[in-house]
Amino acid sequence: MSKRVPTTHSAKQAVQPSMKTKTLPEDKRDGLFEGPDPVTWIHIFGTAHRFELPRNLKSISVGSSPDCDVVIRSPYISRLHCTLERRYDCLRVEDRSKNGTYVDERRMKEPKDVRPGETFGVAGGITFLALNDEMHAAYPVLSDILDWEDQDALIPIDTGWPTPSKVIVWAAGNDHVLITGEPGCDQDRLARAIHSISPMRSKEMVWVDSIPEDRAKQKELLLRAARSTLVLTIDDKMPVMDAAFRTSLFSTSYRIRVLVCASSMDRVLPVLGPDHSLMRRIDLRPLAFRNEQIERLLDRQFEERGSTLRVAQFNEENRKALRACEWRGNFDDLRLAAERFDALVREGSVRSAASALRVPYSTLQKWLANTIGVTVPLTAAR
């Protein structure tokens, strides 16, 4: 019986004819945000310590030496602990220490790349969060809404409460988030902030307060939200969500980030069923329980309006009244107060301010006396 001799082919014969590359539908493509997304800040996770990286340097030194570009005063940090090298939209972290630099809780044996929203640690339990410009700009907004005040310690106490740092990490990934809180607690503003710092930010987010029953319209909604953020507002009238639609919504097929806003878990459970467990949870505290922060939060509203007025200019009795106020409308009440206080100080009287605001004089007068409990003039005499 003769042996079968294997057939050989030349390299030229092995080449397959070229094929035209097919274009995937948009909802099937893997890429999200496209374009440069450099790390511009590093932030010690959960603290007040943030460092803008010198934009004119390609290599940045981190350590305890005053000669370093980023100086961290800690006995566990080497004089030169690590270096950060800019590489397009990431930082290449290289350990140069005795005590170690860590990524994903593992000591680095070779340089690692870190992108916006990712973390790396150094000895002594200090964790750095890499930020881009959008994340850094959103940080104060997240702090206000999440009821978080940064700590001075390099290693913060973990209370389990969602911090701005944690939410940035969630936003940089593909975590679904469930946001509960009273009306006016700025659930919608938090949802916008999460989307604005996510890899999905190049595509417009989709807002819905009801899910269509028609299968074709459900598919249309899924395609519209694909590779973006879908914000679902759950109210008392929303029916139980269709199981098949729910499965598609949380599947990886469409790559949708789901943000759910609701007043309480009582409504979420019957609508989402067991799928609520797939989501990170944020429960926003009403301003009635944040009296000690009212002055800071109101000052932030003045800043956003471009007003030079600050609560420190108010007389002491009016400052006490602000702290004692219930603020039942939460941030909505604060925005209204900032607008009206600014007009009162600018115009000089209640009647002139009412005219400028285009509200009845009696309405403004009652609001001041009964709702907020302040007197005119608002500010202390100079």
Side-chain angles (χ1 to χ4, degrees):
M1 187 175 179
S2 61
K3 271 190 174 183
R4 185 176 179 181
V5 179
T7 305
T8 59
H9 300 277
S10 67
K12 187 174 182 180
Q13 289 175 320
V15 173
Q16 296 295 322
S18 60
M19 298 177 64
K20 185 178 179 181
T21 303
K22 294 182 179 180
T23 302
L24 283 168
E26 187 174 333
D27 63 295
K28 299 297 183 182
R29 298 178 197 168
D30 290 332
L32 297 174
F33 179 77
E34 298 176 0
D37 191 22
V39 176
T40 50
W41 295 74
I42 55 173
H43 164 61
I44 298 183
F45 202 95
T47 76
H49 302 282
R50 285 185 286 282
F51 307 90
E52 184 173 13
L53 302 180
R55 304 197 182 209
N56 61 326
L57 298 181
K58 184 176 180 181
S59 182
I60 299 157
S61 56
V62 179
S64 60
S65 168
D67 295 328
C68 288
D69 300 307
V70 176
V71 180
I72 310 296
R73 299 293 188 185
S74 169
Y76 302 104
I77 304 297
S78 300
R79 289 181 60 79
L80 174 59
H81 200 94
C82 61
T83 54
L84 312 175
E85 183 183 355
R86 295 185 185 279
R87 297 179 67 87
Y88 189 56
D89 61 349
C90 70
L91 287 179
R92 178 152 291 180
V93 183
E94 185 171 357
D95 181 36
R96 297 181 180 274
S97 70
K98 291 182 179 180
N99 288 335
T101 304
Y102 300 82
V103 173
D104 295 331
E105 298 184 356
R106 295 183 179 182
R107 183 166 182 168
M108 292 170 46
K109 295 182 179 179
E110 58 185 18
K112 298 287 185 182
D113 290 343
V114 175
R115 290 174 171 76
E118 296 179 342
T119 62
F120 66 97
V122 295
I126 298 171
T127 300
F128 283 105
L129 172 62
L131 304 177
N132 56 25
D133 284 335
E134 290 83 359
M135 292 170 178
H136 178 258
Y139 196 94
V141 175
L142 296 175
S143 296
D144 288 350
I145 298 173
L146 296 172
D147 183 17
W148 175 257
E149 292 191 68
D150 284 330
Q151 303 176 38
D152 289 328
L154 293 177
I155 306 173
I157 299 171
D158 188 0
T159 61
W161 191 259
T163 67
S165 300
K166 283 183 182 179
V167 172
I168 287 172
V169 172
W170 298 347
N174 196 34
D175 293 81
H176 308 294
V177 184
L178 168 60
I179 306 168
T180 56
E182 291 182 359
C185 280
D186 276 8
Q187 293 97 320
D188 56 341
R189 195 176 182 210
L190 178 55
R192 288 189 183 92
I194 291 172
H195 179 73
S196 73
I197 59 179
S198 77
M200 302 172 172
R201 64 186 182 273
S202 58
K203 190 173 177 183
E204 188 176 350
M205 59 197 306
V206 177
W207 297 77
V208 293
D209 53 14
S210 63
I211 304 299
E213 295 183 4
D214 181 74
R215 294 288 186 190
K217 290 183 178 179
Q218 288 181 357
K219 181 68 178 292
E220 182 183 333
L221 176 59
L222 292 169
L223 290 173
R224 187 155 52 95
R227 298 171 64 247
S228 186
T229 300
L230 183 142
V231 183
L232 175 64
T233 302
I234 295 179
D235 60 18
D236 294 340
K237 300 177 182 178
M238 179 166 285
V240 176
M241 192 182 293
D242 176 77
F245 175 81
R246 209 168 58 222
T247 299
S248 298
L249 184 63
F250 286 99
S251 74
T252 57
S253 301
Y254 294 96
R255 299 197 68 175
I256 298 172
R257 183 201 301 281
V258 182
L259 302 180
V260 171
C261 299
S263 59
S264 70
M265 284 297 294
D266 291 340
R267 284 306 303 156
V268 171
L269 293 173
V271 174
L272 289 184
D275 285 328
H276 79 278
S277 62
L278 302 173
M279 311 185 78
R280 302 286 189 176
R281 173 82 188 278
I282 299 174
D283 187 24
L284 302 177
R285 279 216 309 166
L287 295 189
F289 297 99
R290 301 175 61 182
N291 304 84
E292 71 285 355
Q293 301 169 27
I294 291 300
E295 293 190 13
R296 175 177 65 83
L297 295 175
L298 187 53
D299 276 348
R300 190 91 75 193
Q301 297 301 324
F302 289 137
E303 289 174 18
E304 292 184 5
R305 292 181 55 80
S307 172
T308 59
L309 182 62
R310 295 294 181 268
V311 176
Q313 299 169 234
F314 286 37
N315 63 52
E316 188 55 37
E317 288 304 312
N318 283 338
R319 292 178 69 173
K320 287 181 180 178
L322 293 176
R323 293 191 292 269
C325 181
E326 293 184 355
W327 302 102
R328 294 181 180 179
N330 295 296
F331 284 98
D332 290 342
D333 277 1
L334 276 186
R335 280 185 279 270
L336 180 65
E339 178 188 31
R340 291 183 171 183
F341 291 157
D342 186 50
L344 279 162
V345 173
R346 188 178 63 250
E347 298 297 329
S349 70
V350 178
R351 193 170 297 278
S352 297
S355 177
L357 293 166
R358 297 183 179 180
V359 297
Y361 167 76
S362 59
T363 298
L364 182 57
Q365 190 177 45
K366 288 178 181 177
W367 177 83
L368 286 166
N370 301 332
T371 304
I372 306 298
V374 298
T375 58
V376 178
L378 296 173
T379 57
R382 295 183 179 180

